[in-house]
Every structure is written in C-alpha cells, then in structure tokens.
C-alpha cells in the first residue's frame, strides 16, 4: 500500500461524501429504474482503471442518483446518519477490519465495545446488568448486535420457539401448530411474520384488533384464551412502523402473564428506544423491562449510519438455547459467533454507536430525543391549523401521519366511500409526483384509520412526516406545506 496515494484517495472520498451529506438537495438527478440500470449495469473491464478515474466515475454516474437522507427536505423514512462521531466510528471500523466472530485474535477489543454498548442499551431500557467483572462469557451479556431490526426480531422469534419447545434447534419443528404469534392487527411489522417462515414455524399469525394503534386489550385477552395452546409469543410495539405509537407495555405484560406466564413477550422498540433517553419520554415505555426480549434499531433514531441494531434479552442465559458450536468458531468465552444466528464473520457495527453514545452522553441523548419529538409536535400543530390537512395519528415519538383533502371534502367523519377514494387518489398522486421530482420526500404506506379521523377502520394511503433531522426548521415545514399545496393544485387542476 502506498500510504500517501491511499491517503489522498481516502481524503478525496471523504470530501466527496461530506459534500454529498451536507448539500440541501435530496437528489442530484432522478432517473427511471431502467435508465439507471442501463447506465450502471456494465461489463467488468479487462484492464485496470486508476483510482482517480474510478472515483470520478462514481462522482459523475452514481452519486448524483443517490438519495441524501441528511437533507432537511428528506422527511420520510430513514435517518440522517450524520452524527460526526458515528461517522468517525464507521470509518474506523472499516479501516481496522475487526471480525466479531471471535475475540482473542479476531477482535480483542472490539468484542468488549459490543458488550459495553449492549450494556448501555440494556440499562437505558431498564434491564439489569451484572457487574462488569461478572461478565465472563458471551452468555452473560444479555444481547447481541445485529445488522437490522429484521434480524433482531428473527432471533427473538427463535428464542420464543426454543422457550415453547426446547430442543427444536436440534430436532426441527415437529408440531408447527404450537408456534403462533400474536400481533396487533394492521400495524405489525412484516419482519416477525417473515421470521416465522424463515425459522420453519410457518406464518401463523393471530391478529388482534387495535384501538388507536394499540392493542384492544379486551380482544387481546379473548385471543389468548381462544388460542391458548397455540400461542408462542406476543409482540408489542414501542413505536409501530407506521405511526410510531407506543403501546401500553406494562398493561400488556400483566395481561399476558396472567393468562399464561410461559408466553414469550417481545417488544419491538426499533423506534421506541428514543423514549429511553428522558424521564418524561421514558414513561411511555414503562414496563418494557418486563418483556423477555427487546429489539432496538439505533440506525433509525440516533443519526448513526446504517446499519446498527441490537436484540436484548431480559435473562442472558436464554441465548444458550440458540447457540451454535463448531470447531470453525473459537470455543472461547467471548466469541460472539457462538450466539449470533445467521451471522458468521461480522463487522464492527458497535463502534459508531459507542462513539456516538459516549460523545453525546445522557444529556446529549436526552436533547436529541426531545428535539425530534418537539419537531413532530410542531409539525402536527401546522397540520392541525391547515384547512386542507387532516392528522391521522397522535404522535408519541417523531412521526406525523396526515392526509391532504381534495377540494370540497371536509374532515367530518365518517366521510363516505366516494370521498375516501378521492382522498386516497389525491395522496397517492401527491406522493408519486413527490418521488418523481425528488425535491422533498415524505413517506407513504397503507394504514387503517384507527382514530376514525376520516372513517374508522377505512384503509388510507396517507403521507408521513418524520422529524429525524435536527436541521429541519419551521421554515422547512412551511415550505413543505407550500409545496404540497402546489402539487395538490396541479393534480386537481389536471383532473378538472
Ligand atoms: C417496528 C419495526 N420493526 C422492525 C423493522 C425492521 O428493521 P430493519 O429495516 O432495520 O431490518 C422496522 C423497519 O422499519 C420497523 O419499523
């Protein structure tokens, strides 16, 4: 390696990345999937290309088409990934090339950074930790770092399966009827359903009706009694993937344990981790520490680059039930490869989180959480004050879900089927235009109108604002609303 040339190359790459991240535009250029395919899916060159040319090619052909989630106009799904220390951690993890599968020679210190971060997350959520000197093996830690919420939830489902039918890891699933999970209807994240299929249980989902994007607990109790023997786990959301509503975790815990204390309780706190940082917000996740497992996704809420997730377990020893032993993984006390299903070689994703959490400290994290939630409340107030917008959730965290009303339609529930169709069509058209233009970004999905703001239970295609970017000012919010007005006016004008 020529240090000076490599250093120049890396500095150039860094400058390019920072220039990209700090520009206000989301996209440099838009193109259809086919155009981009034809631009980029090319043959491998026979001759070498010098580094400068490769970087230039990336700058000209690839980068302009990339989406910049750190733009204050990017108000949809995805986090900024722009915390400076998290970026530094990400770069250093790449440069140091540690492998978290083993400890002694593969990641002598990195393993303990994983452990430190996992213990911080556990403590923030209320799980108890052994003293550091009592942590003698990976089975004393109580968690693992994974690449994302989907993996974390899948590991949780494996733990639930082993708790329900010990030894299934070896014997295989013999009686799949026993492995059903309970989820809130319409707001469960697809990852738990997918997890059941991946781990051989079959997609046995018992959906329980909701009220205001939380379990209807009378229905939950009824479902547990009705399906008693089949239920392996109950999933509760500390921030569902559409509205980020935090369920009443303590009440769910008490209810489930009273019916059957052996049911595995899993909290998906991919979004809800944000609430762990301030005493006021923490009240929202009260009871979470009684759950058997918790998924958290720092890459969704802490401005850390992709990817970074963790699965935490109340009782660290439960992880033994899903451990893997092989002579290719060191049989040493701190080899994480023994307890991380699906993952062998594993990069050092905890370093960016460790640097970010250390750098901010508890007070900085509280400030970050409060600022995100405050921005969501400010935007919610603007939505409420706007004559053509109707808000569809009561923001617990950083998401505001709303719909744009076509001319002549009032938000007076229940609006009729024809009006609902017009509302959905307008919001779909707004989102399609927004995606095509790429100057602003909001998220869109289907969702049931659980608060009955337009028509209780109706399927809606709303827009969602996410307050993940601390650079979003009140001016951006007003500009966004003006942009939506222009789009709505154009679309409605085209239709009349
Ligand atoms: C509630 C919830 N759980 C799990 C996931 C999956 O996370 P990931 O995309 O990191 O795998 C998501 C993603 O949006 C989510 O919203």
């Amino acid at each position: 390696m020529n240090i000076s040339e490599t250093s120049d190359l890396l500095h150039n790459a860094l400058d390019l990345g920072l220039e990209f991240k700090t520009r206000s535009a989301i996209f440099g250029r838009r193109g259809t999937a086919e155009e981009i395919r034809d631009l980029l899916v090319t043959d491998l060159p026979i001759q070498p290309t010098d580094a400068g040319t490769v970087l230039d090619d990336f700058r000209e052909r690839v980068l302009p088409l990339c989406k910049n989630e750190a733009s204050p106009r990017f108000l949809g799904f995805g986090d900024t990934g722009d915390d400076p220390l998290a970026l530094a951690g990400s770069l250093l993890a790449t440069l140091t090339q540690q492998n978290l599968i083993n400890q002694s020679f593969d990641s002598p210190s990195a393993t303990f950074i994983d452990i430190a971060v996992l213990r911080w997350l556990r403590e923030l959520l209320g799980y108890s930790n052994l003293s550091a000197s009592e942590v003698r093996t990976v089975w004393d830690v109580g968690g693992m770092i994974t690449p994302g919420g989907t993996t974390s939830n899948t590991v949780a489902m494996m733990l639930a399966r082993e708790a329900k039918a010990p030894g299934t890891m070896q014997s295989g699933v013999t009686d799949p009827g026993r492995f059903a999970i309970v989820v809130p209807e319409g707001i469960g994240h697809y990852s738990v359903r997918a997890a059941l299929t991946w781990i051989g249980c079959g997609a046995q989902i018992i959906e329980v009706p909701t009220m205001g994007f939380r379990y209807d607990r009378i229905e939950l109790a009824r479902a547990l009694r009705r399906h008693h023997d089949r239920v392996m786990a109950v999933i509760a959301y500390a921030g569902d993937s559409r509205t980020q509503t935090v369920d009443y975790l303590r009440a769910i815990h008490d209810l489930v344990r009273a019916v059957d204390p052996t049911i595995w309780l899993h909290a998906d706190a991919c979004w809800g981790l944000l609430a762990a940082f301030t005493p006021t917000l923490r009240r929202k996740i009260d009871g979470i520490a009684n759950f058997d497992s918790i998924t958290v996704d720092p890459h969704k809420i802490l401005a850390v680059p992709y990817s970074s997730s963790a699965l935490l377990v109340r009782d660290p020893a439960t992880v033994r039930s899903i451990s893997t032993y092989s002579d290719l993984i060191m049989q040493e006390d701190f080899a994480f490869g023994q307890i991380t299903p699906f993952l062998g070689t594993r990069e050092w994703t905890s370093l960016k989180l460790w640097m970010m959490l250390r750098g901010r400290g508890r007070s900085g994290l509280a400030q970050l959480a409060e600022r995100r939630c405050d921005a969501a409340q400010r935007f919610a107030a603007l939505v409420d004050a706007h004559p053509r917008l109707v808000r569809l959730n009561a923001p617990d965290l950083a998401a505001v879900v709303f719909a744009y009303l076509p001319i002549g339609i009032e938000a007076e529930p229940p609006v009729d089927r024809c009006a609902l169709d017009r509302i959905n069509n307008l919001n779909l058209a707004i989102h399609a235009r927004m995606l095509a233009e790429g100057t602003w970004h909001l998220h869109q999905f289907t969702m049931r109108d659980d608060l009955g703001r337009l028509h209780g239970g109706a399927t809606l295609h709303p827009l969602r604002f996410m307050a993940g970017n601390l650079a979003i000012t009140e001016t951006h919010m007003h500009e966004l609303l003006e942009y939506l007005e222009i789009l709505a006016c154009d679309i409605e004008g085209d239709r009349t």
Side-chain angles (χ1 to χ4, degrees), residues 318-341:
T318 55
V319 172
R320 280 209 180 268
S321 67
I322 56 164
S323 299
T324 301
Y325 301 94
S326 157
D327 57 349
L328 296 176
I329 307 172
M330 302 276 289
Q331 309 281 304
E332 58 185 25
D333 290 339
F334 289 108
F336 263 110
Q338 298 169 103
I339 66 158
T340 52

Side-chain angles (χ1 to χ4, degrees), residues 289-312:
N290 294 324
F291 278 58
D292 296 301
S293 53
I294 308 174
T295 289
V296 294
D297 253 11
H299 68 202
K300 284 188 173 57
I301 56 146
L302 286 179
V304 296
Y306 298 134
S307 63
S308 161
S309 176
L311 177 72
L312 309 171

Side-chain angles (χ1 to χ4, degrees), residues 40-50 53-54 57 61:
L40 299 179
V41 182
T42 55
D43 292 339
L44 177 66
I46 291 168
Q47 299 302 331
T49 310
D50 70 87
T53 307
V54 174
D57 188 24
R61 280 199 301 157

Side-chain angles (χ1 to χ4, degrees), residues 77 147-151 153 189-191 237 239-241 268 270-271 295 297 299-300 309:
F77 178 58
T150 303
T151 312
N153 282 342
H189 189 262
Y190 69 84
S191 52
Y237 288 90
D240 70 85
S241 45
D268 183 329
C270 280
W271 299 104
T295 289
D297 253 11
H299 68 202
K300 284 188 173 57
S309 176

